[in-house]
Amino acid sequence: MLLRQLEPRTARTTAEVIKFALWPLAVMTVLNRVFIKAVNGFITDDYKPVYNASLAFLNGRPVYTANFDSVDPHYLYPPGGTLLIAPLALIDPEKSRWCFILLNAAAILLAWYLLLRLFKYTLKSVAAPALLLAMFMSETVINTLVFTNVNGCVLLAELLFLHLLLARRDLWAGAILGLSITVKPVLAPLVLIAAARGQWKVFITAIGVPVALTAIAWPLLKDPEQFFSRTVPYLLETRDYFNSAIAGNAAYYGLPDALTWGIRLTMAGLVAISLWILYRYYRDDELFFVTTSSGVLLTAMFLLPGLGQMYYSMMLFPFLMSVVLRNSVLRNWPAWLAIFGFMSYDKWLSDRWQSFGRNLEYLRITFGWGLLLIVVFCVLGDRYLAARREGRLPFGIDPVWMRTAPDSRDTAEAEAANAAPEDATESVTAPADQAQAPASPRSHNGSAPAEEKRISVEQ
């Protein structure tokens, strides 16, 4: 009897087998990344300048004193961000760093849950452990924790913003975005999505929160003007180290300015065309439009300006998760070759082929971001040209076969339908479907849900 009680439950379905296998792997990977790799740290320490700046702020000393001639991490947060992170220096450096690691780990875990819910998955689904394992196996999560920077909190802000934006909670969405911009403006391009959707109230708090926090912090700082006179000019420069943007690698390899600008302008053109197609034909398909547009905008933000670092790729998780949508632009192998380039923790430095390995390691992030933008452009462009050729443009550009493709949103619809009494299913769900059909973004794009082919991982 005792042995029977201690016997672990045996999986009875394929979904259960996968879940029972993935959950231990995911949980142990999270524990290793947070309590071993992150606490051990690395020679790169993003947290030390942050702690020193916070300590200087609390003691009334100048904050913006970094030596930009060195390649060590510098303190680059604006005055409002300095105000927000100042409490970090209330305890000693080691315990403060541990607390910041836990804060970022908790933020990443909450973002993971919100990402699942964004695509209608639950903790009982196969997607839950698979996504958790994938996130904590990626370079971006590992180095965010090991280097101890704020990117985990920025990812959480992005997921909160997307949820609130889709729920039309405009002021709250703008407030969350404004808080993240106050510390690190990497999510600033997302305001363009709010503009495309006509959610103008987002701008009130997205701009108002950073302005208000800067106004509060300004008289409390010893040298707030130094941020604009010293730090901002440095941020606008293109450095040739730890920089995976096109301009950064071009500077490192000594490419001519004309070639560098040609590449950047060409990629900018591809981005502009992709965004136009998304706006013109997909803005009614809210989840697809928001996640895909955010991915294109943020990837362009990393690749085209003067500074892009590999662990910024964390902000692309919502875009990568859109692969579960039937009209995703990521359901092809070149897209995942690109994703491997900027997400993999593998190192390509070689003792035998040193020059080749070094070039591959330095360029894989840039090539990955660039290839991802090219893939998006090609997929959307091919859909547009095919629809124009077949006379389908007024009805959307998704091909007809996509109507029966699996989609994560069908799982939630199937569960809702099954929850109704069986004898009332036809009379209740059919009118509801008909009532919702005009507002359905998928029917607008020629890819309405099909009853016979639903994707489900809830078994």
Side-chain angles (χ1 to χ4, degrees):
M1 181 65 69
L2 178 61
L3 292 177
R4 183 179 301 174
Q5 292 176 344
L6 294 177
E7 180 184 2
R9 178 184 171 188
T10 300
R12 298 186 178 183
T13 65
T14 301
E16 285 187 344
V17 171
I18 297 173
K19 286 189 289 185
F20 288 174
L22 289 183
W23 269 118
L25 299 177
V27 171
M28 296 309 295
T29 299
V30 171
L31 294 176
N32 174 268
R33 301 303 189 253
V34 175
F35 295 104
I36 304 300
K37 290 190 75 70
V39 173
N40 287 347
F42 190 66
I43 189 172
T44 301
D45 185 359
D46 289 345
Y47 188 69
K48 184 177 179 180
V50 172
Y51 182 88
N52 290 340
S54 300
L55 189 63
F57 171 76
L58 293 178
N59 288 279
R61 300 196 303 267
V63 170
Y64 299 105
T65 59
N67 176 17
F68 295 134
D69 292 329
S70 73
V71 297
D72 295 328
H74 308 303
Y75 182 73
L76 305 173
Y77 296 169
T82 303
L83 177 67
L84 292 178
I85 63 156
L88 295 173
L90 293 175
I91 56 179
D92 66 87
E94 184 178 42
K95 292 185 177 62
S96 177
R97 180 175 176 271
W98 292 353
C99 289
F100 200 57
I101 290 171
L102 290 176
L103 174 64
N104 272 277
I108 294 170
L109 290 173
L110 183 54
W112 158 73
Y113 176 75
L114 292 175
L115 189 54
L116 287 173
R117 299 306 303 142
L118 186 66
F119 291 91
K120 311 304 180 184
Y121 288 118
T122 68
L123 293 178
K124 295 181 180 180
S125 67
V126 172
L131 178 61
L132 184 63
L133 180 62
M135 290 174 68
F136 278 82
M137 288 289 289
S138 67
E139 184 276 346
T140 179
V141 168
I142 294 174
N143 280 345
T144 287
L145 296 172
V146 172
F147 298 167
T148 320
N149 60 53
V150 76
N151 289 341
C153 297
V154 178
L155 175 64
L156 176 58
E158 180 186 10
L159 265 299
L160 288 171
F161 170 76
L162 294 180
H163 272 274
L164 292 168
L165 191 74
L166 289 169
R168 300 280 173 176
R169 304 283 296 276
D170 294 359
L171 293 177
W172 282 108
I176 295 296
L177 189 63
L179 282 173
S180 72
I181 291 173
T182 301
V183 178
K184 181 180 283 192
V186 66
L187 297 182
L190 298 186
V191 297
L192 296 177
I193 298 177
R197 289 165 53 85
Q199 295 176 252
W200 301 105
K201 289 183 180 179
V202 169
F203 286 80
I204 298 174
T205 44
I207 297 173
V209 168
V211 171
L213 288 173
T214 300
I216 295 171
W218 195 274
L220 302 178
L221 279 163
K222 184 76 172 179
D223 56 343
E225 70 285 345
Q226 291 294 308
F227 174 77
F228 296 97
S229 62
R230 293 188 72 249
T231 306
V232 170
Y234 170 76
L235 290 172
L236 296 177
E237 295 177 358
T238 299
R239 67 192 197 195
D240 60 359
Y241 62 93
F242 302 140
N243 187 358
S244 296
I246 291 174
N249 267 319
Y252 178 81
Y253 286 100
L255 297 185
D257 288 343
L259 177 59
T260 303
W261 276 105
I263 297 172
R264 295 169 78 179
L265 292 174
T266 300
M267 295 303 299
L270 300 186
V271 169
I273 295 172
S274 298
L275 290 174
W276 178 82
I277 295 175
L278 287 169
Y279 175 77
R280 176 67 179 82
Y281 295 101
Y282 287 105
R283 67 180 181 274
D284 293 329
D285 188 346
E286 293 188 327
L287 183 57
F288 174 79
F289 175 73
V290 167
T291 54
T292 305
S293 298
S294 67
V296 173
L297 284 169
L298 292 175
T299 305
M301 176 77 170
F302 308 153
L303 187 68
L304 301 182
L307 177 62
Q309 294 182 301
M310 188 175 182
Y311 53 34
Y312 291 172
S313 301
M314 180 184 291
M315 313 312 156
L316 299 181
F317 281 142
F319 178 38
L320 304 189
M321 190 65 180
S322 72
V323 71
V324 302
L325 304 180
R326 63 167 50 85
N327 49 0
S328 172
V329 296
L330 301 179
R331 292 188 172 188
N332 54 81
W333 69 262
W336 291 93
L337 175 63
I339 292 164
F340 178 85
F342 58 76
M343 279 291 181
S344 171
Y345 192 61
D346 295 338
K347 301 297 181 185
W348 290 83
L349 299 173
S350 170
D351 293 335
R352 178 63 181 84
W353 301 284
Q354 294 184 9
S355 179
F356 175 77
R358 182 171 59 253
N359 291 335
L360 190 58
E361 174 66 19
Y362 291 173
L363 291 171
R364 67 187 178 96
I365 305 102
T366 311
F367 286 168
W369 289 336
L371 178 58
L372 186 64
L373 293 177
I374 292 172
V375 167
V376 173
F377 168 78
C378 290
V379 171
L380 293 176
D382 179 68
R383 291 181 188 176
Y384 172 81
L385 293 175
R388 188 177 69 172
R389 187 169 56 249
E390 298 168 9
R392 294 186 287 106
L393 285 180
F395 310 101
I397 63 173
D398 284 343
V400 176
W401 63 262
M402 203 168 283
R403 296 176 182 177
T404 58
D407 189 300
S408 69
R409 292 168 290 190
D410 293 342
T411 302
E413 294 171 3
E415 290 176 350
N418 292 335
E422 292 183 2
D423 57 349
T425 298
E426 292 185 2
S427 61
V428 174
T429 59
D433 290 341
Q434 292 170 5
Q436 293 177 2
S440 172
R442 283 161 281 162
S443 60
H444 171 77
N445 286 292
S447 56
E451 298 295 330
E452 66 275 12
K453 286 192 177 182
R454 296 190 183 279
I455 183 172
S456 175
V457 289
E458 300 291 341
Q459 299 176 13

